[in-house]
Amino acid sequence: MMTDRNMVRSLGTEPPILADGRRAPDRREISLRWLTGTFLTGITSCVLMGVALFAALDGRQQLAIPAEAYAVAGPDQDSSQETAKRGERLIGPNIAARPSDKAILEVPTVIHEGETEVVRRQPFMHVKMSLAANYAVQDEYPRFDPLAIFADDDKNTAPRTGSLYGSDVESQVSLRTIAFPVTGDTHPYASGMSFDEVEEAVRTNGSVLTDGNTQIAALSYIDPQRFADDSEVDLTAGLAARVIEQNMSVSAPEPLTPQTPEYADDIIPVRRAQPVDAAMMGSGYPRAEAEDVARYLAPQIGADGLTEGDVLRIGLIQRGEEARIVRVSLYRHATHVVTLALNDAGRLVVGSEPPLLDAIASAFDDRPMPIPAGRDLPRVYDGIYRAAISYGMNKQMTAQIIRLLASNVDFQAQLKPTDMLEAFFSVSDEDGQATDESELLYVSARFGDTLTTFYRFQDPADSSIDYFDAEGKSIRQFLLRNPVPNGRFTSGFGMRRHPILGYSKMHTGADWAAPRGTPIIASGNGVVEKAGWDSGGYGNQTLIRHANGYITSYNHQSAIAKDVKPGAKVRQGQVIGWVGNTGLSTGAHLHYELVVNGTKVDPLKVRLPGGKSLTGEALAKFEVERQRIDALLGNVERQKQLAAR
């Protein structure tokens, strides 16, 4: 073992070599420059590693498993992007909106300004949104708040957009309707024509006064010889004459019947490489017809068949239930390849290219947007806001859609890949962005197997604006079953042991527990009958009388809203009080009762009447408005296709 003296000797006894006359460093001293450099190096390394990790994950909270990556990329990716380059993303970025799902329509509208009707053309936006797509939304939207959703903020003012007009106009037209004068001479009458003047007018214009191909002077109630010329020229001769082209036959028009032949084009997009007959049979064509078309097309396209991105255009002559193929065209990446047409011998021969259809270029636009994995799908509430903002709606219009769907949709549920939302709303210009002046005219929402559709309409009776389904029934509920939107159901209607009295007693309502001070909203429109203390154990109580003999009762409130007094009118969603523990109560909750014609019923199970229904003249005007919207959006053809399935 080496001694301390030997250890010192082995390390050397010479003093350290110093430069510039500096002193030897003390072992207890710390270099500030070394410490600062080490600290900054550590911070810089952490920042760089965090940025690199965030960029690699693209903002995701977790890495994507292979199944998720495949679901986001989708099996129908463009074949031109099969080879990846260095630096490219394997998973596409967030989606803003698809242009093929947006359309600007110039529609004539009419709005009443006093006694004058102003007809003008106005741009409208029609959008179709897949709610489960991964939209890139920059703007913040409000957090989910049940109280704000059920609060009715709609104001029944005159529509800023007006109703759709039945005829087209170039720019703007002002119309004024006044009552026809039935008494008095408001305008001077022209002097009457003499008999000779009438006869001269008939002689002069007799050759052009016709009813179809028949001269008016030849009708049964007028003597044709009375107005004959002195030259004895037959004025009726040649009235049915027409100048037609050579080799053309003119036949009388036939009435349209189910057996009248009609021509139609069927567009078949090819999403993967396959034979011609397989693509046609997959679209519903019989095997025999599909094999015939494949045999005629084989010499033109070779033995490889169809490739991904091809489009088959089948021309059909339909007569009742029978359909016959008369033309087949093949397009490869929207470029015409070959057309075969049926000749007189019933064989398909090479023909000229038919006029191009827009449906050829947009044949693949119906592909759904990339959908993330099922466990990554957002809530219904978030999906509606993200999609609506991406497609040009503002927060005010999106909140209106949320309110209108609140009675039929669970916003806390997870979206499904097939959930869709279609909307039609007014915009100010060709940019398609909604403004504060924009109005929502139509919404169609599909969540799972439930389809909800409603149209905006102004009732001419009271000028109120509401939204109705296709049958003219208001989509608003007559009464809400839960006056505490964020409350928790604790006790239902029926016999139970009273928690304070200690014996079984009929529980004549539903209890909704919530923290003291939680707002209570009115279940429906009505008039306040009572607002004050109840000596029978209900504490602070509010009674609201609704239409058709319905009364709602709100009990154990900590306080009643200031403007809720007997005789005051309240609207559905208005805050009328706050949850409390007054009266015979063991905790903060609302005891909610529903009385129908003097009898207390279960508010959660009783069948409630629907909202307002249009009748008579109002229903007729609504039908006209609905049909115009359906015609603009193509809903008529879509409904026919669904009915034919």
Side-chain angles (χ1 to χ4, degrees):
M1 182 175 181
M2 185 179 295
T3 62
D4 295 341
R5 182 179 299 177
N6 293 335
M7 183 181 295
V8 174
R9 184 181 297 114
S10 65
L11 295 177
T13 58
E14 291 78 9
I17 300 176
L18 303 176
D20 299 333
R22 296 181 179 177
R23 66 178 180 84
D26 191 346
R27 294 180 181 179
R28 294 171 296 178
E29 292 181 355
I30 299 177
S31 175
L32 293 179
R33 286 185 294 178
W34 170 84
L35 181 61
T36 304
T38 303
F39 183 71
L40 291 178
T41 301
I43 292 178
T44 305
S45 301
C46 294
V47 171
L48 293 177
M49 291 178 62
V51 171
L53 182 61
F54 184 83
L57 296 179
D58 194 20
R60 292 172 60 93
Q61 301 299 323
Q62 58 188 11
L63 291 174
I65 61 175
E68 288 178 330
Y70 179 78
V72 175
D76 298 329
Q77 291 290 340
D78 190 356
S79 58
S80 61
Q81 300 178 353
E82 290 179 357
T83 58
K85 298 179 182 180
R86 184 176 182 180
E88 290 184 342
R89 298 174 185 265
L90 294 180
I91 299 177
N94 292 343
I95 299 168
R98 271 202 318 190
S100 59
D101 293 336
K102 300 191 296 184
I104 294 285
L105 305 177
E106 288 283 344
V107 183
T109 61
V110 57
I111 189 170
H112 297 270
E113 296 181 355
E115 297 182 354
T116 305
E117 294 181 346
V118 179
V119 183
R120 63 169 66 95
R121 295 180 65 87
Q122 184 171 346
F124 285 81
M125 173 67 82
H126 179 212
V127 297
K128 298 178 181 178
M129 302 171 284
S130 176
L131 299 180
N134 190 22
Y135 293 103
V137 178
Q138 303 296 333
D139 296 339
E140 299 245 346
Y141 54 88
R143 296 179 59 185
F144 178 76
D145 183 2
L147 184 63
I149 290 176
F150 284 94
D152 188 358
D153 294 333
D154 297 338
K155 298 179 177 58
N156 292 334
T157 58
R160 298 178 293 271
T161 301
S163 57
L164 301 188
Y165 194 59
S167 301
D168 197 4
V169 294
E170 292 296 332
S171 56
Q172 179 171 316
V173 178
S174 297
L175 305 175
R176 184 180 179 186
T177 303
I178 60 176
F180 186 82
V182 294
T183 59
D185 297 336
T186 58
H187 301 284
Y189 288 94
S191 58
M193 297 177 65
S194 64
F195 183 81
D196 294 337
E197 290 174 339
V198 173
E199 184 171 344
E200 180 62 26
V202 174
R203 286 181 182 276
T204 304
N205 302 299
S207 60
V208 295
L209 297 177
T210 61
D211 182 11
N213 292 330
T214 306
Q215 189 177 8
I216 287 182
L219 293 178
S220 57
Y221 50 85
I222 295 180
D223 182 7
Q225 298 301 323
R226 176 176 179 79
F227 302 103
D229 291 341
D230 297 337
S231 59
E232 297 184 356
V233 177
D234 187 6
L235 295 177
T236 63
L239 288 177
R242 291 181 58 187
V243 178
I244 61 176
E245 299 179 5
Q246 292 182 351
N247 300 327
M248 177 182 290
S249 300
V250 179
S251 60
E254 297 181 358
L256 294 178
T257 66
Q259 297 301 319
T260 301
E262 295 180 342
Y263 179 80
D265 276 310
D266 186 17
I267 307 301
I268 304 176
V270 180
R271 306 188 186 279
R272 58 182 177 83
Q274 58 183 319
V276 175
D277 54 348
M280 292 184 62
M281 286 188 294
S283 298
Y285 287 90
R287 177 182 295 273
E289 293 185 358
E291 292 178 349
D292 287 343
V293 173
R295 184 171 64 255
Y296 285 114
L297 273 178
Q300 309 296 330
I301 63 176
D304 295 336
L306 303 176
T307 61
E308 183 180 357
D310 290 354
V311 176
L312 273 177
R313 177 181 177 183
I314 311 295
L316 302 169
I317 294 292
Q318 296 177 328
R319 185 192 299 270
E321 299 293 334
E322 179 186 0
R324 183 166 60 100
I325 298 176
V326 296
R327 188 173 65 193
V328 179
S329 299
L330 174 63
Y331 297 84
R332 184 150 291 169
H333 300 295
T335 302
H336 178 261
V337 177
V338 64
T339 292
L340 302 180
L342 200 67
N343 62 6
D344 294 339
R347 298 173 57 88
L348 289 173
V349 298
V350 178
S352 59
E353 178 185 358
L356 186 63
L357 295 177
D358 294 337
I360 301 298
S362 60
F364 293 93
D365 285 348
D366 59 345
R367 292 179 296 178
M369 287 186 174
I371 304 300
R375 61 187 177 90
D376 285 338
L377 292 180
R379 298 178 303 172
V380 171
Y381 178 84
D382 298 319
I384 293 177
Y385 259 103
R386 293 174 184 177
I389 294 176
S390 297
Y391 276 86
M393 295 185 185
N394 54 20
K395 299 174 185 176
Q396 177 184 354
M397 184 176 293
T398 308
Q400 184 181 19
I401 294 177
I402 293 289
R403 284 196 298 270
L404 294 173
L405 294 174
S407 59
N408 298 322
V409 178
D410 181 9
F411 296 116
Q412 293 291 76
Q414 189 182 43
L415 279 171
K416 297 181 175 59
T418 57
D419 291 347
M420 300 287 295
L421 182 67
E422 181 180 0
F424 184 60
F425 56 94
S426 61
V427 293
S428 58
D429 50 34
E430 298 297 330
D431 293 339
Q433 297 294 320
T435 63
D436 292 340
E437 298 297 320
S438 298
E439 286 190 294
L440 189 68
L441 268 67
Y442 166 84
V443 168
S444 178
R446 179 180 294 276
F447 294 95
D449 297 331
T450 303
L451 178 64
T452 304
T453 302
F454 49 85
Y455 305 77
R456 190 210 65 171
F457 180 69
Q458 183 180 19
D459 192 344
D462 54 5
S463 298
S464 62
I465 299 175
D466 205 347
Y467 290 84
F468 301 85
D469 61 12
E471 305 299 327
K473 297 180 180 179
S474 176
I475 64 169
R476 303 180 189 271
Q477 286 184 327
F478 175 63
L479 292 175
L480 301 177
R481 298 186 185 272
N482 179 11
V484 186
N486 51 358
R488 177 173 54 87
F489 177 74
T490 56
S491 182
F493 186 91
M495 292 295 297
R496 70 165 188 176
R497 185 177 180 84
H498 197 280
I500 296 179
L501 301 179
Y503 58 85
S504 295
K505 184 180 179 182
M506 185 68 180
H507 187 239
T508 56
D511 289 348
W512 299 92
R516 178 184 174 86
T518 301
I520 302 170
I521 61 176
S523 296
N525 300 339
V527 179
V528 178
E529 280 199 346
K530 177 184 176 182
W533 184 264
D534 177 77
S535 58
Y538 284 120
N540 286 325
Q541 182 187 51
T542 300
L543 299 179
I544 300 178
R545 175 171 46 84
H546 309 277
N548 303 321
Y550 286 80
I551 296 177
T552 52
S553 175
Y554 312 81
N555 307 280
H556 305 309
Q557 302 175 75
S558 61
I560 299 174
K562 182 178 180 181
D563 54 347
V564 177
K565 301 177 181 179
K569 293 183 178 180
V570 295
R571 67 179 186 276
Q572 188 177 68
Q574 177 181 339
V575 176
I576 60 173
W578 293 268
V579 172
N581 191 26
T582 58
L584 290 179
S585 173
T586 59
H589 75 287
L590 171 71
H591 176 72
Y592 174 61
E593 294 183 349
L594 177 60
V595 184
V596 181
N597 294 326
T599 303
K600 295 182 179 181
V601 298
D602 189 345
L604 299 183
K605 296 182 180 180
V606 65
R607 184 174 180 179
L608 295 173
K612 176 181 177 181
S613 296
L614 299 174
T615 57
E617 182 181 356
L619 180 59
K621 291 184 177 181
F622 169 76
E623 286 290 337
V624 174
E625 180 85 359
R626 181 186 63 80
Q627 291 172 6
R628 288 173 181 171
I629 294 178
D630 287 340
L632 278 173
L633 306 184
N635 292 343
V636 177
E637 294 299 327
R638 197 182 316 162
Q639 291 169 3
K640 289 181 179 179
Q641 294 174 3
L642 293 175
R645 292 180 181 177

